[in-house]
Amino acid sequence: MATNTASRRSFQGLILLLVSALLLLISAYHGAFGFKHGSLKASLPKRQLDLATVPTVPLSTIPLKSIGLPFGRQHHTVNFTTKSEDHVKRHVKRGSKEDFDYHKGQGDIAYDQMVAACESSAQDFEPSALGNGWTRQKDIKYPPEKVWVDAVKQLAGEAKVPTAETSFYVDLHHDKDFINNQGQPVKLVPNKAHYAQWFIPASSAIIVAATRSPYFEVKRRFEFDGKPVPSSREINDQYVPPLHRWSDVTWALWKEKGGGNNLQYIGRDFIANPRTESVMQYIFSQAGKGDEPPFPGLVFGMDSDEGRALLGTPNGIGAARLLIDRATELGRRDIRIHIFYSEPDSPCMMIDMRPAQPQPRALARRRIEPPKTPSEETTLEKLYRIPRELRHPAPVKNRNELLKLYREIDSDTFVKRDAASDYDKALCTGRAMWDKITAAFDGQGDTAQIFPILALRNGWSKKDVPQTLDPEWRQYFDTKLGPDKVPSRDDVRYVTLVQDEAFYNSEGADVADISGTKEAGTALYYAYYIPGISSVVVKNMVSPANVVKTLFTAMGQPVPSNAEIAANYVPPLNRWSDVTWTVYADIAAKQSRDPNALRYIAHSYIINRATQVVMAYIFQRRSGSVNVPYPGLEFGMDSEEGLALLGTPNGMGTGWLLQDRAKELGRRNPKVTIWTEGAKAMMVWDLAPA
């Protein structure tokens, strides 16, 4: 037994000696020849291997995955046990359809968020924040590899060719103690988080050599130790510096190096992420391109499954996050992704983010400055008055106080002011909504759940009575459809829905009162349902989700995310579009009418301030007055104004209805008419079949 033990130790010692010799050879190779392709070999200081860091314990106990080397220009981590296996497997499988489908789904989500992003949402860090937990091991002027110089030249032209003078190479390592998001000092756990990339503002380009995020390293460490991995929020709050995401770090450094809103090209050099490689290999194999094509390689836009899948890969999603977080600065972009090889077994990606072509406008933009007098409030003060209750929130005791508070927030008289920023935001939202609707018309969207009418018994009080239509709407429909087309009182159903009862949420939990006062929320939907003329006339709409947000704000508590609200704080049947379709389809069936013929959705006496502001801006811009009586102004979805109105709170409900019920309603050609009745705003959507 002693002989066997001695032999085993001798064998382990021999193996350790061989590994050490291999490390010395690799280190000597890099000391002599610099980076993988010879770049920077005379300019960059070499990182030598410190043999003191090689473990002296028996080899069988060494976690070989944790031994890292500055390997090649990427500074990749060498995995002695699996690298060759992964390499062979990658080229035998030629990619995975399963990986492709998964990342296509991730890309769809990212693209939808990009399109919907109307303003910057991330914190704007200064480069000095990198002093918290980071070290710049290199920050020098040096051009990228020739393949990237040629790629930028081909895409951007001779005038934007990267040079040594215009290119900044930054190699950033997370290797210091730091203060986390909660203000607590954190002792660094050794890790391999780093970002190495070229910043070339004169060429509108960033070339990424290596990315390994602190977030990923934290998850990897917990998984390696066999411990439960903290949630994303816990990692962001406790285990990483505030400035840690690639998109935030990159944007801070891009600005430091003189970059601005001109960023257009993001190159990903020598991709080693197995999931990205799997997707790329699958695309190459499906296209019959097994010969590792050079730049420009294969090119895909966001109108293709391949483009969406590449956007959803680990090497594409960072660019999407950058566009989402910096929407104000970078604006809407048309994305094209090149995949190619810089040399054998060196897959690369170039993300071309050219500015989107502006849509045709029905009228040239013109900002109207409001008159100013010394005693007058500024526009923002006037438009965004915040009630004292919200500036100094006090707990809301019951639903009646909540309803009163909600109405104080959102029931100002019609605002007679222009607000270009609100208009721009609504326009951006409307364009994104129209993209979703047209995709649904083409059969590419997912339809929403169909709820039975009995679902309204979960949390809602419902009254359904016959009632004569209001005179102004009878006049509208008489003019639109001809006299005597409005049904009799018995066929005009006035339905009031108030969410004032306990309910089961989407998680199956019994929710009595989210504020702890044994009182339910006070959402309400009031409307006339008239299947005889294919119409819904909305009198009031206060959604459960908005009530929840108002309640949390009034109680001075953090407002949950939309996903958290949908899962925990509202009944499953809660959105206006779902509720309206459920009630309309039920009443239409009782009257032997076709619910799929729904055509008109009218909003009476609009009190939503955001919608009012956009309407006032359009009235002023088009007619020079905020008072425009019937027949008012009409816009289609081929106009800027029509898209902006679709993006308002009162337009989005109709948008969701068109998207979610595209299968039932079919392709439509919506037009919206707006006018005023005295100081009240009116809106009608005509959903004519296309």
Side-chain angles (χ1 to χ4, degrees):
M1 181 66 71
T3 302
N4 291 338
T5 302
S7 299
R8 185 163 56 251
R9 287 179 177 172
S10 297
F11 178 72
Q12 291 173 343
L14 178 61
I15 294 297
L16 181 59
L17 182 62
L18 290 174
V19 171
S20 299
L22 177 62
L23 298 180
L24 282 171
L25 287 173
I26 294 173
S27 177
Y29 172 82
H30 286 285
F33 297 104
F35 278 35
K36 180 177 177 183
H37 296 290
S39 70
L40 312 184
K41 62 185 178 183
S43 303
L44 297 185
K46 282 65 175 182
R47 294 173 58 203
Q48 302 296 334
L49 177 69
D50 182 2
L51 290 181
T53 64
V54 178
T56 57
V57 295
L59 187 65
S60 60
T61 66
I62 300 175
L64 291 180
K65 291 184 179 181
S66 66
I67 301 177
L69 285 177
F71 190 77
R73 67 168 179 249
Q74 308 303 116
H75 299 205
H76 287 316
T77 297
V78 178
N79 185 329
F80 293 106
T81 60
T82 61
K83 184 174 177 64
S84 60
E85 295 176 7
D86 286 347
H87 176 82
V88 173
K89 187 186 300 182
R90 198 165 60 234
H91 288 273
V92 171
K93 287 182 66 178
R94 305 304 293 174
S96 162
K97 177 66 162 59
E98 183 180 359
D99 287 341
F100 179 90
D101 290 340
Y102 171 78
H103 290 292
K104 161 56 165 63
Q106 296 297 104
D108 287 340
I109 295 171
Y111 182 74
D112 287 346
Q113 292 178 346
M114 283 166 47
V115 172
C118 299
E119 56 188 357
S120 296
S121 55
Q123 181 178 348
D124 202 6
F125 289 94
E126 292 297 326
S128 58
L130 291 170
N132 183 24
W134 296 90
T135 297
R136 301 193 194 204
Q137 294 199 358
K138 299 180 182 69
D139 188 347
I140 63 172
K141 288 187 175 182
Y142 203 90
E145 294 295 321
K146 184 176 184 301
V147 62
W148 293 108
V149 173
D150 293 342
V152 173
K153 177 181 178 180
Q154 188 169 331
L155 289 174
E158 187 77 37
K160 288 196 172 185
V161 173
T163 67
E165 189 61 30
T166 62
S167 305
F168 303 88
Y169 179 77
V170 181
D171 187 6
L172 194 67
H173 286 247
H174 176 40
D175 56 3
K176 297 193 304 186
D177 298 344
F178 60 92
I179 304 297
N180 66 17
N181 260 317
Q182 296 182 334
Q184 301 166 334
V186 178
K187 185 73 174 176
L188 180 78
V189 176
N191 66 87
K192 300 176 181 64
H194 67 289
Y195 299 126
Q197 45 200 338
W198 281 270
F199 296 88
I200 321 170
S203 304
S204 304
I206 295 172
I207 308 301
V208 183
T211 59
R212 196 176 184 91
S213 72
Y215 180 93
F216 170 81
E217 284 292 288
V218 170
K219 292 185 66 174
R220 178 177 175 274
R221 185 173 78 244
F222 275 86
E223 290 168 351
F224 186 82
D225 293 342
K227 298 178 180 179
V229 177
S231 67
S232 296
R233 177 173 291 183
E234 289 173 328
I235 293 177
N236 287 323
D237 285 348
Q238 301 177 32
Y239 296 99
V240 294
L243 179 52
H244 70 276
R245 291 197 312 175
W246 175 85
S247 55
D248 292 333
V249 169
T250 298
W251 185 250
L253 289 172
W254 173 253
K255 292 190 304 177
E256 180 192 73
K257 300 305 179 185
N261 303 344
N262 63 319
L263 177 60
Q264 184 165 332
Y265 308 106
I266 296 180
R268 305 297 304 234
D269 190 24
F270 197 83
I271 291 170
N273 185 286
R275 291 181 292 167
T276 303
E277 283 192 275
S278 177
V279 173
M280 292 176 66
Q281 291 292 339
Y282 178 80
I283 293 173
F284 280 128
S285 64
Q286 292 298 108
K289 297 287 185 181
D291 53 349
E292 301 187 341
F295 188 84
L298 301 180
V299 188
F300 302 98
M302 293 301 101
D303 55 350
S304 68
D305 289 347
E306 292 86 351
R308 298 287 185 93
L310 290 167
L311 185 72
T313 62
N315 293 83
I317 205 73
R321 174 53 57 190
L322 188 63
L323 289 172
I324 294 167
D325 289 346
R326 309 299 167 188
T328 301
E329 295 87 349
L330 297 175
R332 288 172 62 87
R333 299 297 182 101
D334 285 335
I335 311 298
R336 293 173 175 81
I337 300 180
H338 298 251
I339 53 174
F340 59 99
Y341 283 80
S342 60
E343 62 177 47
D345 198 30
S346 295
C348 300
M349 178 187 295
M350 173 66 95
I351 304 172
D352 182 350
M353 312 182 301
R354 63 190 63 187
Q357 294 298 316
Q359 296 187 6
R361 293 175 174 178
L363 187 70
R365 290 296 307 277
R366 176 169 62 93
R367 292 185 182 272
I368 304 169
E369 295 297 329
K372 296 180 179 179
T373 62
S375 61
E376 191 175 26
E377 291 177 287
T378 66
T379 301
L380 287 180
E381 289 171 340
K382 185 74 171 180
L383 294 180
Y384 301 110
R385 284 197 302 272
I386 300 178
R388 185 174 301 277
E389 291 86 348
L390 290 188
R391 290 198 297 268
H392 305 285
V396 176
K397 298 300 183 183
N398 57 52
R399 62 186 177 89
N400 292 325
E401 289 186 21
L402 174 63
L403 179 59
K404 179 182 178 183
L405 174 62
Y406 192 93
R407 285 174 173 165
E408 287 178 356
I409 294 171
D410 211 25
S411 63
D412 284 346
T413 56
F414 187 46
V415 181
K416 300 177 181 179
R417 286 288 230 251
D418 101 283
S421 60
D422 286 276
Y423 178 88
D424 289 339
K425 184 175 180 180
L427 176 59
C428 179
T429 304
R431 280 177 173 156
M433 186 76 253
W434 184 239
D435 286 344
K436 292 176 181 289
I437 294 169
T438 53
F441 288 160
D442 294 334
Q444 300 174 8
D446 295 327
T447 56
Q449 179 181 349
I450 298 292
F451 291 91
I453 193 66
L454 291 178
L456 288 172
R457 294 185 180 180
N458 182 26
W460 295 91
S461 295
K462 175 175 176 278
K463 293 182 180 179
D464 179 353
V465 297
Q467 186 165 313
T468 303
L469 189 62
D470 291 341
E472 64 271 18
W473 289 112
R474 177 174 288 276
Q475 179 183 2
Y476 169 82
F477 286 113
D478 283 345
T479 303
K480 189 78 174 178
L481 306 175
D484 302 324
K485 293 294 184 180
V486 177
S488 64
R489 179 177 182 274
D490 290 341
D491 288 333
V492 177
R493 308 300 301 186
Y494 185 61
V495 179
T496 60
L497 290 162
V498 179
Q499 195 243 305
D500 60 356
E501 298 179 359
F503 59 90
Y504 290 97
N505 64 20
S506 294
E507 301 294 323
D510 187 358
V511 181
D513 174 35
I514 60 175
S515 65
T517 60
K518 304 302 179 185
E519 293 284 355
T522 313
L524 46 90
Y525 297 133
Y526 298 170
Y528 293 100
Y529 292 85
I530 322 170
I533 54 173
S534 306
S535 302
V536 175
V537 177
V538 181
K539 295 284 287 184
N540 209 337
M541 51 190 295
V542 178
S543 73
N546 280 344
V547 168
V548 171
K549 292 178 182 179
T550 303
L551 178 59
F552 273 86
T553 302
M555 293 190 300
Q557 298 180 8
V559 177
S561 68
N562 289 334
E564 290 173 326
I565 291 174
N568 300 305
Y569 297 107
V570 294
L573 179 52
N574 69 87
R575 296 194 312 165
W576 176 86
S577 54
D578 291 333
V579 170
T580 297
W581 179 256
T582 300
V583 175
Y584 183 82
D586 178 67
I587 294 174
K590 291 177 180 177
Q591 296 183 6
S592 300
R593 303 281 186 177
D594 180 10
N596 301 339
L598 176 62
R599 176 160 177 176
Y600 300 101
I601 296 179
H603 292 269
S604 183
Y605 298 156
I606 292 170
I607 63 172
N608 184 281
R609 185 158 43 193
T611 303
Q612 289 179 346
V613 170
V614 173
M615 292 177 68
Y617 182 84
I618 293 173
F619 286 144
Q620 183 71 48
R621 189 168 104 167
R622 278 288 192 161
S623 66
S625 171
V626 295
N627 289 312
V628 179
Y630 185 80
L633 304 175
E634 182 182 87
F635 304 99
M637 295 302 100
D638 56 349
S639 71
E640 188 181 89
E641 290 88 347
L643 292 172
L645 291 166
L646 181 65
T648 63
N650 290 80
M652 286 293 285
T654 300
W656 283 113
L657 189 65
L658 287 171
Q659 176 192 306
D660 292 344
R661 308 303 166 194
K663 182 178 179 181
E664 292 85 358
L665 296 173
R667 188 178 296 273
R668 299 297 181 99
N669 182 27
K671 293 184 178 180
V672 57
T673 302
I674 56 173
W675 72 94
T676 57
E677 292 278 348
K680 302 296 183 180
M682 316 287 274
M683 177 188 293
V684 177
W685 291 88
D686 181 352
L687 311 179

